[in-house]
């Protein structure tokens, strides 16, 4: 009798465990299903860009229907290159040259189903959300204190008086440095350009920064007298009363765009991601253009102070392969 009762208890316990496991499995599947319904957005955008995109999505009623994950440009670029349409993302905002290279390799993005009236022609599978432009900037007090001449070109920063007083980003870490390299190669060619870059890096010394915003921070702090970086950051700093001025180099103001693209997925999230992409472009731009004042679409206007004096475009298409070539050029010039 005792053995019978014990056996029945064991059977009941086993049955309860099975029900628990089934319940847990069902909960797990439900969680996965809920996650699958959300649009996953991978971005290399900085805090201001992500905030503007999220605000536009929330205002449009998409709160709770997406998740955003921020990655560095190199990390996200590596994922795009390695994973293609298997990437854990439905929507990507990324440097345009990386999106283009990933598409050429994997055909991973679907054509956009909306039009936005961009000022320039872009491939059917992406459209820009912001652009950054490069320039020189100076600390006016440091320039005066050190008795340095006002630079008008990148080449001027190679003069002996600027030794140890210049800061630039490292092209191995920051795409902002690519704006500098494009300007040098475009104006002087690779042979003379390499000599100029060598002298510039010599003057930079310990002030070669891993972040694109590193130089403006050092210039603002007075640690250096001059730097190269994003033009709009210097404009804003000057407007806020910092002893900063910005100079459009005679070699030219080059720009890089960051764009949005929808990953080709065989599920309903692709349609939802497309709707969100349209919202970000058409509604998010209202705030994005305030933080990144470069006109990209018809009807957009910017203040005159945000209009570079020497806007130029590199004479070759910007690709990941070209970036690698220019990284090698940069390293060989050190």
């Amino acid at each position: 009798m005792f053995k019978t009762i014990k056996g029945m208890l064991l059977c009941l316990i086993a049955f309860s465990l099975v029900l628990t496991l089934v319940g847990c499995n069902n909960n797990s599947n439900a969680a996965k299903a809920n996650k699958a319904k959300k649009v996953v957005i991978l971005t290399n955008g900085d805090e201001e860009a992500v905030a503007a995109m999220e605000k536009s999505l929330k205002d449009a009623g998409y709160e709770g229907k997406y998740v955003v994950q921020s990655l560095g440009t190199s990390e996200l670029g590596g994922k795009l290159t390695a994973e293609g349409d298997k990437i854990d993302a439905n929507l990507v905002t990324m440097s345009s040259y990386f999106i283009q290279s990933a598409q050429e390799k994997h055909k991973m993005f679907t054509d956009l189903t909306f039009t936005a009236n961009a000022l320039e022609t872009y491939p059917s599978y992406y459209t820009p959300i912001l652009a950054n432009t490069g320039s020189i900037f100076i600390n006016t007090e440091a320039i005066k204190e050190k008795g340095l001449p006002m630079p008008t070109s990148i080449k001027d920063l190679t003069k002996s008086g600027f030794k140890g007083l210049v800061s630039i980003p490292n092209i191995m870490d920051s795409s902002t440095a690519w704006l500098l390299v494009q300007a040098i190669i475009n104006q002087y060619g690779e042979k003379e350009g390499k000599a100029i870059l060598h002298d510039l890096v010599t003057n930079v010394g310990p002030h070669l920064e891993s972040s694109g915003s590193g130089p403006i921070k050092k210039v603002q702090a007075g640690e250096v007298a001059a730097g190269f970086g994003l033009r709009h950051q210097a404009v804003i700093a000057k407007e806020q009363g910092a002893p900063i001025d910005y100079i459009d180099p005679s070699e030219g103001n080059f720009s890089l765009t960051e764009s949005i693209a929808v990953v080709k997925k065989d599920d309903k999230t692709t349609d939802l991601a497309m709707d969100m992409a349209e919202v970000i472009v058409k509604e998010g731009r209202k705030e994005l253009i305030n933080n990144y004042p470069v006109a990209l679409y018809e009807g957009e206007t910017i203040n005159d102070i945000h209009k570079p004096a020497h806007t130029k475009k590199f004479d070759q298409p910007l690709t990941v392969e070209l970036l690698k070539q220019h990284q090698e050029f940069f390293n060989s010039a050190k």
Side-chain angles (χ1 to χ4, degrees):
M1 180 69 176
F2 177 75
K3 289 182 179 179
T4 302
I5 294 173
K6 184 177 180 182
M8 290 175 65
L9 288 172
L10 289 173
C11 288
L12 286 171
I13 292 170
F15 184 65
S16 298
L17 286 172
V18 169
L19 288 177
T20 301
L21 289 172
V22 169
C24 290
N25 189 52
N26 287 338
N27 289 337
S28 176
N29 288 337
K32 289 179 181 178
N34 288 334
K35 183 179 180 182
K37 292 176 184 176
K38 290 187 177 182
V39 168
V40 178
I41 304 172
L42 295 188
T43 178
N44 74 325
D46 57 23
E47 291 180 7
E48 291 84 0
V50 173
M53 290 189 288
E54 289 206 73
K55 183 179 184 301
S56 67
L57 291 175
K58 289 176 181 178
D59 289 348
Y62 289 110
E63 187 169 8
K65 297 181 181 180
Y66 65 89
V67 291
V68 178
Q69 184 178 359
S70 296
L71 301 173
T73 300
S74 296
E75 185 180 1
L76 181 51
K79 284 180 69 67
L80 290 170
T81 302
E83 299 175 21
D85 60 5
K86 302 300 187 295
I87 194 170
D88 183 23
N90 307 100
L91 197 58
V92 173
T93 78
M94 178 59 165
S95 303
S96 301
Y97 56 89
F98 262 118
I99 288 178
Q100 192 163 339
S101 293
Q103 179 73 348
E104 289 174 358
K105 182 176 181 179
H106 296 293
K107 299 294 186 287
M108 62 182 289
F109 300 114
T110 188
D111 285 351
L112 301 178
T113 58
F114 59 90
T115 56
N117 300 317
L119 295 174
E120 296 187 20
T121 301
Y122 296 95
S124 58
Y125 56 89
Y126 78 74
T127 194
I129 58 169
L130 63 87
N132 284 312
T133 301
S135 78
I136 296 170
F137 35 75
I138 59 164
N139 183 303
T140 53
E141 294 177 353
I143 286 282
K144 185 177 180 179
E145 180 185 331
K146 303 291 183 182
L148 295 169
M150 190 67 70
T152 60
S153 66
I154 295 169
K155 187 176 182 179
D156 284 347
L157 299 179
T158 67
K159 294 177 180 178
S160 59
F162 282 97
K163 189 168 185 178
L165 296 173
V166 182
S167 180
I168 65 171
N170 189 338
I171 196 172
M172 303 307 296
D173 304 306
S174 169
S175 59
T176 301
W178 200 9
L179 302 172
L180 171 76
V181 173
Q182 286 179 53
I184 290 175
I185 293 177
N186 186 76
Q187 180 69 26
Y188 304 107
E190 293 202 11
K191 185 176 180 180
E192 184 182 358
K194 185 176 288 189
I196 289 170
L197 184 56
H198 170 79
D199 292 343
L200 177 61
V201 173
T202 298
N203 276 358
V204 166
H207 304 298
L208 185 63
E209 303 298 317
S210 60
S211 165
S213 59
I216 189 70
K217 290 176 181 178
K218 285 203 168 181
V219 172
Q220 278 189 272
E223 292 184 52
V224 295
F228 183 94
L230 299 181
R231 188 181 189 277
H232 73 271
Q233 291 181 333
V235 173
I236 292 171
K238 182 178 180 179
E239 286 184 323
Q240 292 175 343
I244 298 289
D245 205 354
Y246 47 92
I247 298 156
D248 295 321
S250 59
E251 292 91 349
N253 301 94
F254 288 77
S255 297
L256 289 171
T257 60
E258 293 181 13
S259 293
I260 194 164
V262 178
V263 181
K264 199 181 296 181
K265 300 278 187 180
D266 189 21
D267 56 45
K268 292 182 179 179
T269 52
T270 299
D271 293 336
L272 187 56
M274 188 69 69
D275 292 340
M276 291 185 183
E278 184 172 6
V279 167
I280 289 171
V281 172
K282 295 185 177 180
E283 301 302 326
R285 278 291 297 164
K286 296 172 185 176
E287 187 166 341
L288 286 165
I289 196 171
N290 288 330
N291 292 319
Y292 311 91
V294 178
L296 297 173
Y297 293 94
E298 292 178 11
E300 292 184 340
T301 58
I302 57 174
N303 192 298
D304 285 344
I305 63 173
H306 289 298
K307 296 177 181 178
H310 309 299
T311 299
K312 290 185 180 180
K313 290 182 67 175
F314 200 67
D315 59 4
Q316 292 177 248
L318 302 184
T319 64
V320 174
E321 289 70 28
L322 183 64
L323 172 60
K324 290 177 180 177
Q325 291 175 28
H326 287 179
Q327 286 175 330
E328 292 174 2
F329 170 81
F330 186 93
N331 286 330
S332 67
K334 288 182 179 179

